[in-house]
mmCIF file of all heavy atoms in Angstrom:
data_model
loop_
_atom_site.group_PDB
_atom_site.id
_atom_site.type_symbol
_atom_site.label_atom_id
_atom_site.label_comp_id
_atom_site.label_asym_id
_atom_site.label_seq_id
_atom_site.Cartn_x
_atom_site.Cartn_y
_atom_site.Cartn_z
ATOM 1 N N VAL G 445 112.355 183.535 123.469
ATOM 2 C CA VAL G 445 113.489 182.611 123.170
ATOM 3 C C VAL G 445 112.850 181.237 122.955
ATOM 4 O O VAL G 445 112.132 180.712 123.803
ATOM 5 C CB VAL G 445 114.503 182.547 124.329
ATOM 6 C CG1 VAL G 445 115.515 181.461 124.066
ATOM 7 C CG2 VAL G 445 115.163 183.875 124.533
ATOM 8 N N LYS G 446 113.097 180.652 121.769
ATOM 9 C CA LYS G 446 112.435 179.431 121.374
ATOM 10 C C LYS G 446 113.418 178.268 121.333
ATOM 11 O O LYS G 446 114.552 178.406 120.891
ATOM 12 C CB LYS G 446 111.810 179.590 119.983
ATOM 13 C CG LYS G 446 110.916 180.809 119.851
ATOM 14 C CD LYS G 446 110.424 181.023 118.394
ATOM 15 C CE LYS G 446 109.656 182.324 118.269
ATOM 16 N NZ LYS G 446 109.153 182.547 116.924
ATOM 17 N N ILE G 447 112.953 177.124 121.805
ATOM 18 C CA ILE G 447 113.679 175.877 121.737
ATOM 19 C C ILE G 447 112.805 174.813 121.138
ATOM 20 O O ILE G 447 111.670 174.599 121.627
ATOM 21 C CB ILE G 447 114.198 175.432 123.136
ATOM 22 C CG1 ILE G 447 115.221 176.449 123.670
ATOM 23 C CG2 ILE G 447 114.826 174.046 123.069
ATOM 24 C CD1 ILE G 447 115.741 176.115 125.071
ATOM 25 N N GLY G 448 113.247 174.189 120.092
ATOM 26 C CA GLY G 448 112.469 173.116 119.467
ATOM 27 C C GLY G 448 112.568 171.833 120.269
ATOM 28 O O GLY G 448 113.573 171.566 120.919
ATOM 29 N N LEU G 449 111.501 171.063 120.259
ATOM 30 C CA LEU G 449 111.442 169.827 120.960
ATOM 31 C C LEU G 449 111.496 168.643 119.996
ATOM 32 O O LEU G 449 110.746 168.614 119.014
ATOM 33 C CB LEU G 449 110.157 169.732 121.813
ATOM 34 C CG LEU G 449 109.928 170.847 122.816
ATOM 35 C CD1 LEU G 449 108.697 170.553 123.645
ATOM 36 C CD2 LEU G 449 111.145 171.048 123.747
ATOM 37 N N THR G 450 112.375 167.710 120.292
ATOM 38 C CA THR G 450 112.465 166.457 119.541
ATOM 39 C C THR G 450 112.600 165.334 120.512
ATOM 40 O O THR G 450 112.755 165.533 121.693
ATOM 41 C CB THR G 450 113.642 166.517 118.538
ATOM 42 O OG1 THR G 450 113.614 165.363 117.690
ATOM 43 C CG2 THR G 450 114.970 166.539 119.242
ATOM 44 N N GLY G 451 112.517 164.104 120.020
ATOM 45 C CA GLY G 451 112.595 162.935 120.937
ATOM 46 C C GLY G 451 111.234 162.555 121.401
ATOM 47 O O GLY G 451 110.290 162.482 120.623
ATOM 48 N N GLN G 452 111.092 162.328 122.704
ATOM 49 C CA GLN G 452 109.846 161.807 123.265
ATOM 50 C C GLN G 452 108.905 162.980 123.613
ATOM 51 O O GLN G 452 108.565 163.194 124.772
ATOM 52 C CB GLN G 452 110.121 160.949 124.501
ATOM 53 C CG GLN G 452 111.022 159.727 124.206
ATOM 54 C CD GLN G 452 111.334 158.940 125.436
ATOM 55 O OE1 GLN G 452 110.482 158.788 126.352
ATOM 56 N NE2 GLN G 452 112.530 158.359 125.536
ATOM 57 N N VAL G 453 108.465 163.659 122.578
ATOM 58 C CA VAL G 453 107.556 164.748 122.760
ATOM 59 C C VAL G 453 106.118 164.191 122.938
ATOM 60 O O VAL G 453 105.705 163.320 122.154
ATOM 61 C CB VAL G 453 107.578 165.711 121.537
ATOM 62 C CG1 VAL G 453 106.636 166.878 121.716
ATOM 63 C CG2 VAL G 453 109.021 166.176 121.266
ATOM 64 N N PRO G 454 105.384 164.625 123.933
ATOM 65 C CA PRO G 454 104.005 164.149 124.128
ATOM 66 C C PRO G 454 103.195 164.310 122.855
ATOM 67 O O PRO G 454 103.282 165.387 122.169
ATOM 68 C CB PRO G 454 103.481 165.008 125.266
ATOM 69 C CG PRO G 454 104.666 165.400 126.039
ATOM 70 C CD PRO G 454 105.746 165.565 125.010
ATOM 71 N N PRO G 455 102.410 163.339 122.459
ATOM 72 C CA PRO G 455 101.707 163.411 121.179
ATOM 73 C C PRO G 455 100.584 164.456 121.108
ATOM 74 O O PRO G 455 100.222 164.922 120.078
ATOM 75 C CB PRO G 455 101.122 162.001 120.995
ATOM 76 C CG PRO G 455 101.051 161.457 122.398
ATOM 77 C CD PRO G 455 102.186 162.069 123.151
ATOM 78 N N VAL G 456 99.987 164.755 122.291
ATOM 79 C CA VAL G 456 98.898 165.736 122.316
ATOM 80 C C VAL G 456 99.283 166.861 123.260
ATOM 81 O O VAL G 456 99.423 166.645 124.459
ATOM 82 C CB VAL G 456 97.613 165.071 122.772
ATOM 83 C CG1 VAL G 456 96.471 166.124 122.820
ATOM 84 C CG2 VAL G 456 97.233 163.911 121.848
ATOM 85 N N LEU G 457 99.441 168.054 122.695
ATOM 86 C CA LEU G 457 99.823 169.215 123.518
ATOM 87 C C LEU G 457 98.996 170.416 123.085
ATOM 88 O O LEU G 457 98.711 170.594 121.895
ATOM 89 C CB LEU G 457 101.314 169.557 123.325
ATOM 90 C CG LEU G 457 102.341 168.641 123.990
ATOM 91 C CD1 LEU G 457 103.786 169.029 123.545
ATOM 92 C CD2 LEU G 457 102.207 168.720 125.510
ATOM 93 N N GLN G 458 98.628 171.192 124.059
ATOM 94 C CA GLN G 458 97.898 172.403 123.791
ATOM 95 C C GLN G 458 98.816 173.611 123.916
ATOM 96 O O GLN G 458 99.638 173.704 124.826
ATOM 97 C CB GLN G 458 96.726 172.592 124.791
ATOM 98 C CG GLN G 458 95.632 171.519 124.624
ATOM 99 C CD GLN G 458 94.931 171.656 123.304
ATOM 100 O OE1 GLN G 458 94.685 172.776 122.816
ATOM 101 N NE2 GLN G 458 94.542 170.550 122.718
ATOM 102 N N PRO G 459 98.745 174.567 122.979
ATOM 103 C CA PRO G 459 99.532 175.782 123.120
ATOM 104 C C PRO G 459 99.296 176.446 124.497
ATOM 105 O O PRO G 459 98.181 176.398 125.024
ATOM 106 C CB PRO G 459 99.044 176.691 121.970
ATOM 107 C CG PRO G 459 98.527 175.712 120.966
ATOM 108 C CD PRO G 459 97.926 174.565 121.748
ATOM 109 N N ASP G 460 100.332 177.031 125.039
ATOM 110 C CA ASP G 460 100.321 177.770 126.309
ATOM 111 C C ASP G 460 100.383 176.832 127.515
ATOM 112 O O ASP G 460 100.374 177.296 128.637
ATOM 113 C CB ASP G 460 99.129 178.727 126.448
ATOM 114 C CG ASP G 460 99.143 179.749 125.343
ATOM 115 O OD1 ASP G 460 100.229 180.268 125.010
ATOM 116 O OD2 ASP G 460 98.086 180.061 124.752
#
Side-chain angles (χ1 to χ4, degrees):
V445 174
K446 307 175 186 179
I447 295 178
L449 303 184
T450 188
Q452 300 179 35
V453 181
V456 179
L457 286 172
Q458 294 294 324
D460 300 318

